[in-house]
Amino acid sequence: MIKIGVIISGRGSNLQAIIDAVELGKIPAQVAVVISNNPKAYGLEWAKKHNIPTKVYEPKKFPDKNTYELEIVKTLRAHQVDLVCLAGYMRIVGEPLLQQYFGKMINIHPALLPSFPGLHSQKQALDYGAKVSGVTVHFVDEGCDTGPIILQTAVPVMQDDTEETLSARILEQEHKLYPEAIKLFAEGKLKIEGRKVKIL
Ligand code: GAR
């Protein structure tokens, strides 16, 4: 059974999907700690309801990004976390987290990477006129949504979609794909080979 640390910034619906999958016994894992950079993140409430320890670290309360991240690393280590899941964490990860957790830190992104990285990916897909977008779960590297891809699901873009309707259709798939990727990691079935992830 592996220990997961989840880092969030907001609503936390992917966190909920992970907790649900764990509680239903679909993933051989335990959510050991939930960390947020935003004290108002709703996901913190959800974690508390499930008796999961939470920590809030606000970047502005630290002298620099390194000190901020070192505090996060300290907490993850204190909870003996094996896998870090970024779930709607809206910051680019820096050196301290990468040094400690490269190959053990994954992220979910609401588009088919490498298309539409960064913020507002659903709006980017709509504005571009893409007919298909989707979800990507990938290992985190030093870039913005550039790490080796673990799993992807395609989601159609409808002609009359708004950012809200497309986001909702994509989110439904996110909630299925993230637990699936975590399960593969927990079972030791993911092997990074350069840019590629082999599923064993
Ligand atoms: C999700 O759609 C996630 O894919 C996205 O933020 C949302 C968070 O929702 N992440 C990114 O855009 C990261 N670049 P949630 O807080 O309800 O899980």
Side-chain angles (χ1 to χ4, degrees):
M1 163 109 47
I2 65 159
K3 290 189 178 182
I4 302 175
V6 185
I7 311 184
I8 62 170
S9 294
R11 181 178 54 186
S13 73
N14 277 290
L15 166 67
Q16 292 182 28
I18 294 167
I19 295 172
D20 286 349
V22 164
E23 289 185 350
L24 288 169
K26 291 185 182 170
I27 309 175
Q30 174 203 341
V31 181
V33 63
V34 172
I35 298 171
S36 174
N37 63 317
N38 167 15
K40 294 189 180 134
Y42 181 72
L44 290 168
E45 303 309 313
W46 189 260
K48 284 176 195 155
K49 270 187 209 143
H50 289 258
N51 298 315
I52 298 166
T54 60
K55 283 276 184 192
V56 174
Y57 297 116
E58 289 182 88
K60 64 175 185 213
K61 296 196 173 160
F62 293 84
D64 52 47
K65 183 170 172 170
N66 260 27
T67 324
Y68 158 74
E69 277 202 2
L70 281 170
E71 209 56 40
I72 294 181
V73 168
K74 217 194 233 174
T75 295
L76 293 167
R77 286 176 63 110
H79 288 272
Q80 296 174 311
V81 161
D82 304 295
L83 173 68
V84 180
C85 296
L86 308 184
Y89 179 55
M90 295 304 187
R91 296 180 64 85
I92 294 184
V93 161
E95 195 53 34
L97 269 166
L98 276 170
Q99 214 168 51
Q100 189 69 38
Y101 290 105
F102 179 76
K104 296 175 181 178
M105 178 161 52
I106 64 179
N107 178 48
I108 187 149
H109 184 77
L112 289 180
L113 292 171
S115 292
F116 314 127
L119 295 176
H120 309 295
S121 309
Q122 301 93 333
K123 184 171 186 305
Q124 289 186 55
L126 278 177
D127 291 350
Y128 198 86
K131 304 286 187 189
V132 176
S133 190
V135 185
T136 303
V137 180
H138 63 92
F139 282 104
V140 176
D141 68 4
E142 64 286 351
C144 175
D145 302 320
T146 52
I149 291 170
I150 301 168
L151 290 175
Q152 293 186 302
T153 303
V155 173
V157 180
M158 306 301 188
Q159 204 137 297
D160 56 356
D161 261 337
T162 61
E163 193 179 346
E164 287 70 35
T165 58
L166 178 60
S167 298
R169 194 175 311 112
I170 290 175
L171 194 65
E172 216 181 301
Q173 297 307 318
E174 292 186 42
H175 296 163
K176 292 182 189 160
L177 201 68
Y178 215 175
E180 232 182 274
I182 294 170
K183 182 169 188 274
L184 289 171
F185 182 94
E187 293 172 344
K189 291 188 177 160
L190 299 179
K191 188 164 176 235
I192 302 178
E193 289 183 350
R195 255 231 62 82
K196 297 179 187 167
V197 177
K198 202 181 228 176
I199 299 178
L200 306 170

